[in-house]
Amino acid sequence: ACASAGKFNKKPCGLGGSRFDPTTKTKFNHLDPSNWSSFDEASLAVELLGDRYALGFVFAPENNLFFLDIDKCLENGQWTPIVGELCNMFPGAYVEVSMSGAGIHIVGSLSQRIEHGCRNRDHSLEFYTEARFMALGNPNTARGDVHTNHDVAVTGLVAKYFDPTNNVTGTQALTDGNWTATHNAQSHPILNDQALVAKAMKSSSASSVFGGNTKA
């Protein structure tokens, strides 16, 4: 189960609603299989915990599933054109409206791992096959089947929106061409390393983070 409140700040938690794991004395780890539950168990927990909680599904490599998240795609009460394009790419796949009501989730199956980027910032898209959890959306909007295979469609999706060779951070497929190898000509950066560190250490926030031990 995952907790949600207010602005849908989705955070993973256990069946009791806690985000703390008493066994490890750390934050609840949704990627640990020992913390996973059956659908029936999780559904009962959500019912008992109340409407600030919702079901979440963890994507693991052995699932052979993919998760395509189309965010911010509802404008003036209408779905943007990319929704139709992507839904048509995956006929029969599981499709639902997200918890916010302004996004679309698409889930389907793969028979083999396909190398890909994870985010496309320009189109507000995210694509995952593992190490991610999805807060299940509005059940009244759900249709399709997660077990429909879409190897060919995912290959096309990756080529168009998630090219792994186009990653800047290793997790984000970026398509804007505004990155440069130097500073903006109108800016005035500090070019001397010692002067830059000295200025940073004058900040109380920097001092508290580094404990006053930073050296040039």
Side-chain angles (χ1 to χ4, degrees):
C2 65
S4 63
K7 296 182 180 180
F8 300 99
N9 295 320
K10 299 176 283 292
K11 304 293 183 181
C13 68
L15 292 176
S18 175
R19 296 189 57 226
F20 180 77
D21 186 343
T23 303
T24 60
K25 297 183 179 180
T26 59
K27 285 198 305 183
F28 179 80
N29 182 8
H30 63 283
L31 298 180
D32 183 350
S34 66
N35 287 330
W36 299 347
S37 306
S38 69
F39 179 81
D40 289 340
E41 288 176 319
S43 296
L44 178 59
V46 168
E47 183 179 345
L48 295 175
L49 289 169
D51 58 10
R52 291 184 63 248
Y53 293 80
L55 290 175
F57 179 83
V58 176
F59 289 84
E62 58 268 27
N63 295 148
N64 294 323
L65 298 176
F66 67 83
F67 168 36
L68 175 58
D69 186 7
I70 315 172
D71 198 18
K72 302 174 184 176
C73 55
L74 185 68
E75 296 180 355
N76 299 318
Q78 300 292 323
W79 297 115
T80 56
I82 198 170
V83 172
E85 173 196 343
L86 296 179
C87 285
N88 287 334
M89 286 182 68
F90 301 99
Y94 177 86
V95 179
E96 67 173 15
V97 177
S98 66
M99 292 175 63
S100 69
I104 294 291
H105 297 160
I106 300 177
V107 182
S109 294
L110 292 170
S111 60
Q112 60 183 348
R113 179 175 174 79
I114 298 176
E115 202 65 32
H116 62 86
C118 291
R119 294 191 179 96
N120 184 309
R121 184 175 61 186
D122 291 351
H123 296 284
S124 297
L125 301 175
E126 297 185 38
F127 183 78
Y128 302 97
T129 56
E130 60 181 287
R132 191 74 173 183
F133 85 92
M134 176 183 79
L136 298 186
N138 185 343
N140 296 322
T141 65
R143 60 180 175 82
D145 187 346
V146 300
H147 299 295
T148 55
N149 182 274
H150 296 283
D151 286 356
V152 174
V154 167
T155 299
L157 175 78
V158 168
K160 185 171 183 179
Y161 291 111
F162 299 99
D163 180 0
T165 66
N166 197 25
N167 283 359
V168 173
T169 65
T171 59
Q172 188 168 25
L174 301 175
T175 57
D176 62 39
N178 298 324
W179 292 95
T180 63
T182 186
H183 61 274
N184 188 291
Q186 297 179 342
S187 67
H188 301 283
I190 299 174
L191 301 179
N192 182 281
D193 289 345
Q194 290 184 331
L196 180 62
V197 171
K199 180 175 181 179
M201 292 309 298
K202 289 181 180 179
S203 165
S204 59
S205 60
S207 180
S208 65
V209 170
F210 296 109
N213 294 321
T214 299
K215 298 180 181 179

